[in-house]
């Protein structure tokens, strides 16, 4: 079964440092997403990416965040200057879009980001 | 008002019980609806899409009422392996919102 791959599985970084989280979405999917989940809290939408540009983003996705699809397979989330409150599990997802409808996300296993 | 609101739970049921989860969504423009399950510290996994006509997959039945903006999930003959957090999701291609989740524990 096709899967979404995320690396690293766990990243520890110092406050103020830049981090890049990496994802390889399912190859024939058209929409890519980043979600995050702070420990014990709900899954929160960050951003969606379609046709090589941001489709939608949430209030969480401020100027400290950026996404990129540097080649045909990778999809990255960059946090420029990490804060303690950025500590969370970050999930990448991709979806199969047919006739304009989303047929469900496939999530990667996540990157646990710990900012110290 | 939350965009997606679920029963707060938790639900603790014996094996073999039938359990129902309810969810409402506030954005009437939502077109895609799902139930996901999430095991502790794991990624959400798609359980089923939800359609207006209702859909069934084995012991699981999902219903959507667009007029009431209401989504439900029924689990029949619950198994120990059904213990997880169930997430209601509503949205569109560009963005979907997850509910807070309802935790189910199935006991022997």
């Amino acid at each position: 079964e096709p899967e979404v791959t995320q690396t690293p599985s766990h990243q520890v970084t110092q406050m103020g440092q830049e981090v890049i989280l990496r994802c390889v979405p399912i190859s024939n999917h058209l929409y890519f997403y980043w979600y995050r989940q702070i420990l014990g809290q709900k899954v929160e939408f960050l951003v969606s990416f379609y046709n090589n540009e941001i489709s939608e983003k949430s209030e969480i996705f401020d100027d400290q965040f950026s996404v990129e699809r540097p080649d045909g397979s990778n999809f990255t989330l960059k946090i420029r200057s990490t804060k303690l409150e950025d500590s969370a599990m970050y999930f990448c997802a991709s979806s199969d879009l047919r006739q304009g409808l989303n047929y469900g996300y496939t999530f990667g296993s996540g990157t646990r980001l710990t900012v110290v | 008002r939350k965009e997606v609101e679920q029963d707060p739970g938790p639900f603790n049921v014996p094996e073999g019980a039938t359990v129902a989860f309810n969810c409402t969504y506030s954005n009437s423009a939502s077109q895609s609806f799902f139930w996901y399950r999430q095991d502790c510290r794991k990624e959400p996994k798609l359980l089923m899409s939800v359609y207006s006509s209702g859909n069934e997959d084995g012991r699981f039945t999902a219903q959507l009422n667009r007029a009431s903006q209401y989504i439900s999930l029924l689990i029949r003959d619950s198994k120990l392996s059904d213990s997880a957090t169930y997430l209601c999701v509503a949205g569109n291609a560009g963005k979907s919102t997850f509910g807070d989740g309802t935790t189910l524990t199935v006991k022997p």
Side-chain angles (χ1 to χ4, degrees):
Chain A
E1 188 175 318
E3 59 180 30
V4 174
T5 306
Q6 287 187 246
T7 54
S9 57
H10 192 184
Q11 174 129 20
V12 181
T13 189
Q14 290 206 321
M15 195 167 52
Q17 295 297 302
E18 174 184 287
V19 294
I20 297 176
L21 310 183
R22 303 181 192 278
C23 170
V24 179
I26 293 173
S27 60
N28 63 340
H29 283 186
L30 298 178
Y31 259 99
F32 314 123
Y33 310 84
W34 284 100
Y35 280 79
R36 79 171 187 191
Q37 188 172 32
I38 295 169
L39 190 62
Q41 297 188 24
K42 63 184 288 185
V43 176
E44 299 176 291
F45 171 76
L46 293 179
V47 66
S48 60
F49 194 84
Y50 174 72
N51 204 24
N52 287 318
E53 60 183 25
I54 289 175
S55 176
E56 295 199 43
K57 59 183 181 178
S58 70
E59 293 167 355
I60 302 168
F61 194 88
D62 61 22
D63 292 344
Q64 292 301 309
F65 291 86
S66 61
V67 289
E68 200 174 40
R69 188 154 163 81
D71 53 44
S73 58
N74 290 284
F75 179 52
T76 62
L77 174 70
K78 183 194 288 188
I79 309 175
R80 262 180 271 282
S81 177
T82 49
K83 304 190 262 296
L84 294 176
E85 55 264 37
D86 293 327
S87 295
M89 180 73 93
Y90 287 80
F91 291 112
C92 174
S94 65
S95 74
D96 181 12
L97 191 69
R98 282 171 266 154
Q99 297 175 328
L101 289 179
N102 176 4
Y103 282 80
Y105 303 139
T106 301
F107 281 84
S109 54
T111 294
R112 180 161 295 287
L113 177 66
T114 304
V115 183
V116 297
Chain B
R1 183 184 170 187
K2 290 182 182 178
E3 283 190 59
V4 176
E5 195 141 11
Q6 294 187 236
D7 288 336
F11 284 47
N12 296 297
V13 303
E15 266 186 294
T18 296
V19 60
F21 300 129
N22 302 309
C23 170
T24 57
Y25 61 95
S26 61
N27 185 354
S28 58
S30 296
Q31 295 291 321
S32 306
F33 308 93
F34 308 99
W35 283 101
Y36 278 77
R37 72 170 275 167
Q38 187 175 31
D39 294 288
C40 189
R41 295 183 175 262
K42 300 280 192 183
E43 75 272 22
K45 292 199 171 170
L46 180 65
L47 185 63
M48 48 199 314
S49 301
V50 190
Y51 307 112
S52 295
S53 53
N55 47 305
E56 187 173 312
D57 183 3
R59 298 181 293 108
F60 299 85
T61 302
Q63 294 276 355
L64 167 65
N65 183 320
R66 285 187 183 269
S68 306
Q69 294 182 201
Y70 169 85
I71 307 164
S72 66
L73 176 70
L74 186 76
I75 305 176
R76 289 181 297 279
D77 188 24
S78 47
K79 313 284 185 201
L80 297 176
S81 56
D82 294 333
S83 297
T85 297
Y86 289 82
L87 308 173
C88 175
V89 183
N92 295 300
K95 177 189 173 184
S96 288
T97 300
F98 283 69
D100 290 350
T102 304
T103 299
L104 171 67
T105 302
V106 181
K107 302 190 170 181

